[in-house]
Amino acid sequence: MKMDQNNSKSRFNDIIDAAPSATAIYHTREIIITAANEQMLAFWGKDASVIGKPLIEAVPELSGQPFFALLQKVYDTGVTHHAERDGAELLIDGKLQTSYFNYTYKAILDSNGKTEAIIHSAINVTPLVKAQQELSETQERLSLALQSAEIGTWELAPISEEVYWDQRCRELFGFEGKADIVYHQVLDCIFPEDKQMVIDAVAAAVDPKRLANYDVRYRTLGNASGKIRWVHCKGRAYLNAQGIAYRFAGTVRDITKEVNTSLSEQQMLSLVNYNADVMSIADMQGHLIYMNHAGRKLLGVAEGVDVTTMTARDFYEPEELKRVQETIIPQIDNERGWTGTLYLKHSQTHEAIPCQVNYILVKNPITGEIIGRGATARDLRPELKAKEKLAQAMKELEFLANSVPTVVWTATSEGMIDFVNEQWNEHSAVTIKDALGAGWTTQVHPDDLEKTLIIWKNSLATGLPYQAEFRLKDKHERYRWWLVRAVALKDNNHNILKWYGSNTDITEQKELQRQKDDFLGIASHELKTPVTSIKAYAQIVEMMLKRSGDDKNLELIHKMNNQINRLTNLIADLLDVTKINTGKLAFKPSIFDFDQLVAEVADEIQVTSEQHKIEKKLNSNSLVDLDRDRLSQVISNLITNAIKYSPDAKKIIIQTEVSFNEVQFSVQDFGIGIASDKQEKIFEQFYRVSNTNEYAFPGLGLGLYISVEIIKQMNGRIWVNSEPDQGASFGFALPLANGNQKF
Ligand code: ADP
């Protein structure tokens, strides 16, 4: 048996020695080394003398490590133990070093199922483990690098369509969490317009016949944020032995910022490029770096010409260049730059072009160091031309203004005089300069000033045409009368831009008017006395003839009396006009029944008018507090006119009524009527409609004028409604006596 044992031992030894891997055999629970081949001895760093010794004695450094206990467990249980890449501290070259092993403790069982021996086989995998450690370290470093470069990595299995994404990738595509992802989910994260392009690029990259380089830029929709990101993906496909792409992997980088800045840079550049102003940049030595389209156009540099071959000398005449270099450049302020005008030179024609130029310093955005100068320039020629034209036009206008005999002027919308032509000097005690603004008011006659300013201010406020008559002091310190008119120039929104005015000397007219008034006053006064006497004599003669029964001559005297009455009325009218003109028309108000007065006047006229029937519709039932005689004069005037100017009619209608606290009178005739353009004029002094038959309708044209003045003085209104050949309706309205309606 022992022999057998020895035999089997030596057989074992032979096997072990021949085994390709490190092998040892242990017996008993003390784990006595009964055999160990060269490789195993080498792992332990021992020689063959350890055979026959318990393992723990032979390799003492193993105490404290788990192997001994493991072996005993295998011995006790008979269950094989296998481990991979397990580290063991072993003395190698006198130094404790970690080695890694794949090893097996296999129990050899006897017929009773008890452990007879343990076979220990081991492979040193230290270099493999070390290499793997190094690899994973390298990978870690790589992913760190990728992370810090904000680069994500991805991998697609084209066959299963499974996608591996790192955290960064998920972020960029807007995926949260760690759930598995498949290819079509990725596609769903791509901006719709870019999707097909990506699909095509992936297909081309994984197509084994093409294996196209995958390098695409596209937009992703960040799922959660809804933010659009630009990404740049690069990758390549790997083929397996069958020539099918089994792996497609690469990187992704967020290029949103770059895209956006390059977009805004491009926008800026095109803004600069196509700006209407000239823009250029030069280095500190004056060498051009850039010039935009406007610059090329203005200075005659063709689009194809490389501006970097040009210098300041090409764009300035020598003296101007000297001024720029010696005076202007040192003045360019760090913040504000330099602005001023100077002449640029056309590079082809050498024309000197006046320009408004702005220089700024161009700095390196990071270091702040000044690296060049930027210039913007605006061609001033159109402006200068326009100014010249305007000045010329102004000159011509002034010339024109000075050539007219009247005084003309302009004023601001606020009413300040800002131009007066030279004619002013001939008439005024003060110079044009002193008349400007509100200076002219000092020259207005004190009696006229208040009224004038009221009219002027009213026009300034309303924009309505201004017209006033007032006296201004002339250069001999005498007052002359002026008719001053002005109209406002307005913009489309009716805002006043300027007033244009003229002054016309009406001193002579005023004088003539005064002379005429004086004459009228004297003449009518002088005529009145003899006419009164004639009338008295006529009455005596009438009485005498009546008594003698001389009917034939009595008839003549009647006619004479009528004519004397007409003459008396005419003289009375003339006298009234002179009174009106001198403001001496007197009023003696009293309270009386309005309808009653109208009836009296009408009845009186009816007596002498046989042809016309005066129809009365008197419904005012009112008391008025007015001058009775003057009012009867007006009523009489209107009724008489109605009869006079309707020679073919048989009636006229007179009417009174109360409306809105006013008493109204109107007289309607069916006569010749009045054209609408004449209807205002008939109320003027001495105005008569010219084509009316003067023989058929005698008169002086004073009746309506006097009537208007009387009604105005009574705070009333007077009007006419008429159409030619349709008759006329004249009317007036007057205030009622205070609370004095009769019934
Ligand atoms: P006169 O009657 O003396 O001419 P008025 O001042 O009374 O002066 O009238 C002025 C002018 O108005 C008249 O000349 C006439 O042309 C016109 N007129 C006045 N009343 C009427 C009327 N009822 N119908 C037509 N025209 C009239």
Side-chain angles (χ1 to χ4, degrees), residues 637-638 641-642 644-645 669 672-674 682 684 687-689 692 697-705 728 730:
N637 230 323
L638 297 182
N641 275 352
K644 184 159 104 182
Y645 294 103
D669 69 55
I672 61 169
I674 308 150
I682 55 173
E684 289 171 11
Y687 184 84
R688 311 200 67 227
V689 176
T692 48
F697 309 110
L700 285 180
L702 290 176
L704 286 179
Y705 171 69
F730 280 84

Side-chain angles (χ1 to χ4, degrees), residues 104-263:
T104 310
Y105 296 148
K106 189 173 167 44
I108 310 285
L109 305 182
D110 64 13
S111 47
N112 299 324
K114 269 203 72 196
T115 304
E116 194 192 318
I118 297 171
I119 299 179
H120 172 197
S121 61
I123 301 168
N124 189 349
V125 292
T126 309
L128 184 71
V129 170
K130 286 258 168 73
Q132 264 179 352
Q133 269 176 358
E134 250 163 50
L135 185 68
S136 77
E137 270 169 31
T138 319
Q139 256 172 356
E140 208 171 299
R141 275 203 302 274
L142 181 68
S143 89
L144 258 172
L146 292 175
Q147 253 174 36
S148 66
E150 306 214 304
I151 291 171
T153 56
W154 52 266
E155 203 173 320
L156 168 69
I159 301 163
S160 66
E161 300 220 324
E162 272 174 293
V163 174
Y164 163 77
W165 266 358
D166 72 357
Q167 198 48 39
R168 179 73 191 143
C169 240
R170 286 171 186 266
E171 272 168 35
L172 289 181
F173 283 74
F175 271 94
E176 277 167 11
K178 297 208 182 289
D180 291 342
I181 302 165
V182 290
Y183 182 47
H184 79 82
Q185 285 177 295
V186 175
L187 293 178
D188 287 344
C189 299
I190 295 174
F191 192 71
E193 278 170 40
D194 298 344
K195 206 168 181 167
Q196 195 54 48
M197 183 267 291
V198 176
I199 292 172
D200 295 346
V202 171
V206 300
D207 178 352
K209 282 201 253 2
R210 295 168 62 192
L211 284 184
N213 183 30
Y214 181 68
D215 186 340
V216 287
R217 290 174 169 82
Y218 59 88
R219 284 160 287 181
T220 66
L221 307 162
N223 270 356
S225 60
K227 210 170 104 184
I228 290 175
R229 278 210 189 82
W230 276 96
V231 294
H232 182 188
C233 287
K234 283 182 178 175
R236 57 168 296 196
Y238 301 86
L239 301 184
N240 63 13
Q242 286 80 46
I244 297 168
Y246 73 99
R247 188 169 172 253
F248 176 47
T251 58
V252 57
R253 194 162 62 86
D254 186 350
I255 53 164
T256 313
K257 243 196 190 150
E258 289 160 54
V259 170
N260 286 346
T261 40
S262 86
L263 241 170

Side-chain angles (χ1 to χ4, degrees), residues 587-592 624-628:
F587 288 83
K588 285 185 242 121
S590 64
I591 295 176
F592 58 90
V624 289
D625 185 5
L626 300 164
D627 185 315
R628 203 171 191 276

Side-chain angles (χ1 to χ4, degrees), residues 32 105 125 168 171 200 205 227 232 256 356 369-370 373 386 400 432 470 509 535 557 566 673 687 698 725:
I32 292 161
Y105 296 148
V125 292
R168 179 73 191 143
E171 272 168 35
D200 295 346
K227 210 170 104 184
H232 182 188
T256 313
Q356 168 87 11
E369 175 198 1
I370 295 168
R373 281 183 293 273
L400 186 72
I432 290 172
F470 55 84
Q509 274 144 274
K535 195 169 177 173
I557 283 293
R566 266 191 69 197
Y687 184 84
D725 301 324

